[in-house]
């Protein structure tokens, strides 16, 4: 399965003023030193904005997006002439100009009110998504696993960054149970067979285990040939650690039917 080329960037709309600029002047800025590779390589064609907590009732949503008209590099003092003495006045920024600002009929929401800096994806994903985890476009085996989890109504977070690791670790999938959180990693043949990659994966697993995470790892062969077995193991692991946490009522957990017992619900 060939991976679709990404052409869309989801970026954090950090301040309310940035939304005013977007509406009035149709541009957004990203510091050159922290810009995603997609921007550096001029592969970005569309930009969408994620609104954080400061937007109150519109927080943790993606509503606005647009096609990119032009990208240029400018000093911050050029972007904001009235702030010439700002401490970052001489830093370089990508100024991303949009042809127009469009608004989705229904916003894309984050069930767990996540902090998002950048997500790279496609316009098709942006247009079809209903919640944040639908936005991600990762390896083919991750996409297969995600569709399987959704079909079983198992609420997972994709590319989840545990707070304790300061955005240095992103999990393929994160599940939340009463007793332990569960990390699921899909080890594709291309990226996880080299000796150094194996060492890195072990260090990463040890870090997560030390912070109380339970780890499940699945290979390309597992997902392509034994997907139902993988899902069964996921369900059993969730049940072992006290059920799957509800994304709305965080005090509510539910056991999953593994085919050997009836579905049980309980509240904390």
């Amino acid at each position: 399965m060939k991976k679709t080329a990404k052409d869309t960037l989801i970026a954090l709309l950090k301040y309310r003023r940035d939304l005013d600029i977007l509406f009035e002047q149709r541009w957004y800025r990203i510091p050159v030193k922290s810009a995603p590779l997609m921007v550096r390589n001029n592969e970005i064609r569309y930009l969408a904005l994620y609104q954080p907590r400061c937007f109150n009732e519109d927080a943790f949503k993606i509503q606005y997006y647009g096609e990119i008209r032009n990208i240029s590099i400018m000093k911050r003092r050029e972007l904001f002439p009235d702030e010439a003495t700002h401490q970052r006045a001489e830093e370089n920024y990508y100024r991303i100009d949009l042809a127009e600002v469009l608004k989705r009929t229904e916003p894309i929401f984050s069930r767990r009110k996540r902090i998002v800096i950048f997500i790279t994806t496609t316009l098709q994903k942006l247009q079809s998504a209903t919640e944040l985890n639908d936005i991600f476009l990762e390896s083919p085996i991750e996409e297969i696993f995600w569709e399987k989890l959704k079909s079983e109504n198992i609420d997972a977070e994709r590319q989840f960054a545990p707070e304790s690791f300061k955005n240095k670790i992103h999990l393929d999938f994160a599940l939340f149970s009463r007793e332990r959180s569960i990390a699921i990693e899909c080890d594709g043949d291309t990226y996880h067979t080299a000796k150094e990659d194996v060492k890195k994966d072990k260090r990463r697993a040890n870090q997560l285990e030390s912070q109380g995470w339970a780890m499940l790892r699945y290979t390309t062969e597992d997902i392509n040939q034994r997907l139902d077995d993988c899902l069964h193991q996921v369900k059993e692991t969730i049940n072992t650690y006290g059920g799957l946490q509800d994304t709305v009522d965080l005090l509510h957990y539910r056991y999953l039917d593994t085919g050997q017992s009836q579905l049980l619900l309980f509240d904390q």
Side-chain angles (χ1 to χ4, degrees):
M1 184 186 299
K2 185 177 180 181
K3 190 172 178 180
T4 305
K6 298 179 179 181
D7 60 3
T8 300
L9 178 69
I10 315 296
L12 180 67
L13 195 61
K14 193 172 183 179
Y15 303 111
R16 284 184 170 272
R17 181 179 71 162
D18 295 330
L19 185 59
D20 294 334
I21 293 172
L22 191 71
F23 285 153
E24 296 167 9
Q25 303 177 44
R26 298 201 299 274
W27 60 265
Y28 176 82
R29 70 189 184 280
I30 299 175
V32 167
K33 63 182 181 181
S34 59
L37 191 62
M38 170 186 282
V39 178
R40 296 174 184 270
N41 291 344
N42 196 29
E43 296 169 346
I44 178 173
R45 296 293 176 264
Y46 301 91
L47 177 72
L49 289 311
Y50 182 76
Q51 296 172 243
R53 190 178 302 278
C54 66
F55 286 89
N56 301 323
E57 68 276 4
D58 287 326
F60 310 111
K61 296 177 182 177
I62 300 169
Q63 298 188 89
Y64 304 106
Y65 71 102
E67 186 174 2
I68 293 169
R69 181 171 57 85
N70 185 60
I71 299 179
S72 56
I73 296 179
M74 301 177 68
K75 300 287 186 184
R76 193 183 192 284
R77 59 176 167 77
E78 296 175 300
L79 295 171
F80 301 105
D82 57 335
E83 299 179 13
T85 59
H86 193 280
Q87 61 181 354
R88 294 190 297 276
E90 294 303 316
E91 288 189 16
N92 288 325
Y93 285 74
Y94 286 105
R95 170 171 163 156
I96 302 175
D97 291 275
L98 302 182
E100 61 179 326
V101 178
L102 304 173
K103 184 177 181 180
R104 282 179 52 105
T105 304
E106 295 291 336
I108 300 167
F109 64 95
S110 171
R111 297 176 304 191
R112 288 189 174 271
K113 300 178 171 57
R114 287 171 57 175
I115 297 172
V116 169
I117 307 300
F118 296 117
I119 299 173
T120 56
T121 186
T122 65
L123 180 63
Q124 190 277 329
K125 283 276 189 177
L126 176 67
Q127 292 176 331
S128 63
T130 58
E131 63 105 350
L132 186 68
N133 292 291
D134 292 324
I135 282 283
F136 293 96
L137 178 63
E138 301 303 323
S139 68
I141 58 172
E142 286 180 52
E143 295 303 310
I144 291 170
F145 207 88
W146 170 239
E147 292 301 324
K148 188 66 172 179
L149 290 173
K150 283 203 303 181
S151 73
E152 296 286 336
N153 195 29
I154 298 177
D155 296 324
E157 292 293 321
R158 303 189 67 183
Q159 295 301 307
F160 184 80
E163 290 184 15
S164 57
F165 294 99
K166 299 180 179 179
N167 217 41
K168 292 182 179 180
I169 287 181
H170 289 79
L171 307 175
D172 292 344
F173 300 97
L175 299 167
F176 301 93
S177 294
R178 181 191 294 273
E179 297 173 13
R180 295 185 77 180
S181 297
I182 303 164
I184 301 176
E185 296 286 86
C186 300
D187 298 339
D189 297 335
T190 304
Y191 302 103
H192 296 271
T193 54
K195 189 174 181 180
E196 286 305 312
D197 290 332
V198 171
K199 290 180 180 179
K200 182 178 178 181
D201 286 342
K202 287 182 178 179
R203 289 194 297 268
R204 173 184 168 108
N206 289 340
Q207 286 179 301
L208 288 163
E209 290 279 357
S210 71
Q211 294 292 322
W213 285 79
M215 289 289 300
L216 294 174
R217 310 192 73 100
Y218 298 114
T219 64
T220 299
E221 183 179 356
D222 290 332
I223 293 171
N224 284 337
Q225 299 182 24
R226 294 180 289 274
L227 185 56
D228 287 338
D229 293 339
C230 296
L231 188 71
H232 183 82
Q233 185 179 55
V234 169
K235 290 180 177 180
E236 287 193 325
T237 305
I238 289 170
N239 292 345
T240 296
Y241 293 122
L244 185 65
Q245 187 180 52
D246 188 89
T247 57
V248 177
D249 180 0
L250 301 184
L251 297 180
H252 181 76
Y253 296 79
R254 63 185 173 94
Y255 283 112
L256 305 184
D257 185 2
T258 63
Q260 299 172 344
S261 61
Q262 295 297 313
L263 182 68
L264 302 175
L265 298 176
F266 67 93
D267 293 310
Q268 187 173 26

